[in-house]
């Protein structure tokens, strides 16, 4: 079965520290992976995507993600967290059955 | 450039009634996706339309249906409303193919 998992419901990081939001997936064929962010009282926004090519993908707001085929992971990272990064983050995949599957979401909280 | 628009913003319906939600895509986008986001839960994929045709649907009963018009706007219809249909319904649009999605602000449906 094709799926995406975000194992942490919440991640707490101090401002200025690096952050990682984890995502693992199970999909047949080539994976197409995405990260989206949902800020409080605002809509979902696209952050970055991996379709093919370089395993390290750079996106909006200084975020990046690394595609790791052997570990079937696509973790979201940022070298230095900002309080304004506090939001709900979703990992998503396109499956070979032409379905879009979103993870359950991880709430990122950055403390000053 | 205008983003994805959805109407209405809020809706209150009684159990057993029917509701129609509307979505207008970003200019040039031909794919429309519908999602249900229940309170405290992640995004559940409902429907995917592309070029006027239904590409796929999620694990929802047939009383959830929709269509896409020649101008690529879309409607989501929910018949025989149940209390558990109360949720935020999000529409997203994209270019044809596997591309990032752009989300509308959503329609908050409350079923009493």
């Amino acid at each position: 079965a094709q799926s995406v998992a975000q194992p942490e419901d919440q991640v707490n990081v101090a401002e200025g520290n690096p952050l990682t939001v984890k995502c693992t997936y199970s999909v047949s064929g080539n994976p197409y992976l995405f990260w989206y962010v949902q800020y409080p009282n605002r809509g979902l926004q696209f952050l970055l995507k991996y379709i093919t090519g370089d395993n390290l993908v750079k996106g909006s707001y200084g975020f990046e993600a690394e595609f790791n085929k052997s570990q079937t992971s696509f973790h979201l990272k940022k070298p230095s967290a900002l309080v304004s990064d506090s939001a709900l983050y979703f990992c998503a995949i396109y499956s070979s059955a032409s379905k879009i599957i979103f993870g359950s979401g991880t709430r990122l909280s950055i403390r000053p | 450039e205008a983003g994805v628009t959805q109407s209405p913003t809020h809706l209150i319906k009684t159990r057993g009634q029917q509701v129609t939600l509307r979505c207008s895509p970003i200019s040039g986008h031909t794919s429309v996706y519908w999602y249900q986001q229940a309170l405290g839960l992640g995004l559940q994929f409902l429907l995917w339309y592309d070029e006027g045709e239904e590409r796929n649907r999620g694990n929802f009963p047939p009383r959830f249906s929709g269509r896409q018009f020649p101008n690529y706007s879309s409607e989501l219809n929910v018949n025989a409303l149940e209390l558990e249909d109360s949720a935020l319904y999000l529409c997203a649009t994209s270019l044809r193919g596997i591309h990032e999605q752009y989300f509308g602000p959503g329609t908050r449906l409350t079923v009493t």
Side-chain angles (χ1 to χ4, degrees):
Chain A
Q2 299 178 104
S3 63
V4 58
Q6 293 181 243
E8 300 158 317
D9 290 337
Q10 176 133 358
V11 171
N12 300 307
V13 177
E15 187 175 28
N17 283 359
L19 69 87
T20 298
V21 182
K22 296 179 180 177
C23 173
T24 59
Y25 65 89
S26 172
V27 64
S28 57
N30 294 322
Y32 302 99
L33 301 157
F34 299 78
W35 276 102
Y36 291 87
V37 59
Q38 190 171 33
Y39 295 105
N41 300 316
R42 290 168 59 183
L44 271 156
Q45 298 177 28
F46 166 74
L47 271 182
L48 50 78
K49 66 181 177 184
Y50 173 83
I51 303 296
T52 186
D54 193 351
N55 288 348
L56 185 63
V57 179
K58 294 187 182 298
S60 306
Y61 311 120
F63 283 93
E64 59 188 26
E66 185 170 10
F67 169 63
N68 188 317
K69 189 172 183 178
S70 62
Q71 297 186 5
T72 61
S73 67
F74 190 56
H75 300 332
L76 181 70
K77 300 182 179 183
K78 187 173 182 180
S80 179
L82 299 172
V83 172
S84 58
D85 293 329
S86 299
L88 188 57
Y89 290 80
F90 291 96
C91 181
I93 63 169
Y94 274 86
S95 73
S96 60
S98 296
K99 293 198 178 198
I100 304 95
I101 304 172
F102 275 74
S104 55
T106 298
R107 189 163 299 281
L108 178 63
S109 178
I110 310 298
R111 59 183 183 276
Chain B
E1 181 180 328
V4 178
T5 60
Q6 292 187 245
S7 63
T9 307
H10 295 88
L11 207 51
I12 300 175
K13 289 286 188 178
T14 303
R15 191 172 57 182
Q17 287 188 315
Q18 177 266 342
V19 68
T20 297
L21 311 180
R22 296 177 176 82
C23 172
S24 292
I26 291 172
S27 177
H29 286 191
T30 62
S31 289
V32 175
Y33 308 82
W34 287 96
Y35 297 91
Q36 183 194 67
Q37 187 177 26
L39 192 63
L41 299 178
L43 276 75
Q44 302 299 315
F45 167 62
L46 268 165
L47 289 160
W48 175 4
Y49 291 96
D50 184 54
E51 299 275 342
E53 295 187 3
E54 182 179 299
R55 282 285 305 273
N56 215 329
R57 64 181 292 128
N59 297 324
F60 281 83
R63 57 190 186 84
F64 287 84
S65 65
R67 55 179 173 169
Q68 187 179 30
F69 298 99
N71 66 354
Y72 304 115
S73 67
S74 177
E75 285 182 350
L76 173 68
N77 299 292
V78 187
N79 294 321
L81 283 166
E82 301 180 0
L83 296 178
E84 53 265 33
D85 296 334
S86 295
L88 181 67
Y89 288 85
L90 292 167
C91 169
T93 73
S94 77
L95 297 171
R96 193 178 191 196
I98 300 174
H99 296 279
E100 60 270 25
Q101 298 175 27
Y102 293 81
F103 284 80
T107 294
R108 173 75 60 187
L109 172 64
T110 302
V111 182
T112 62

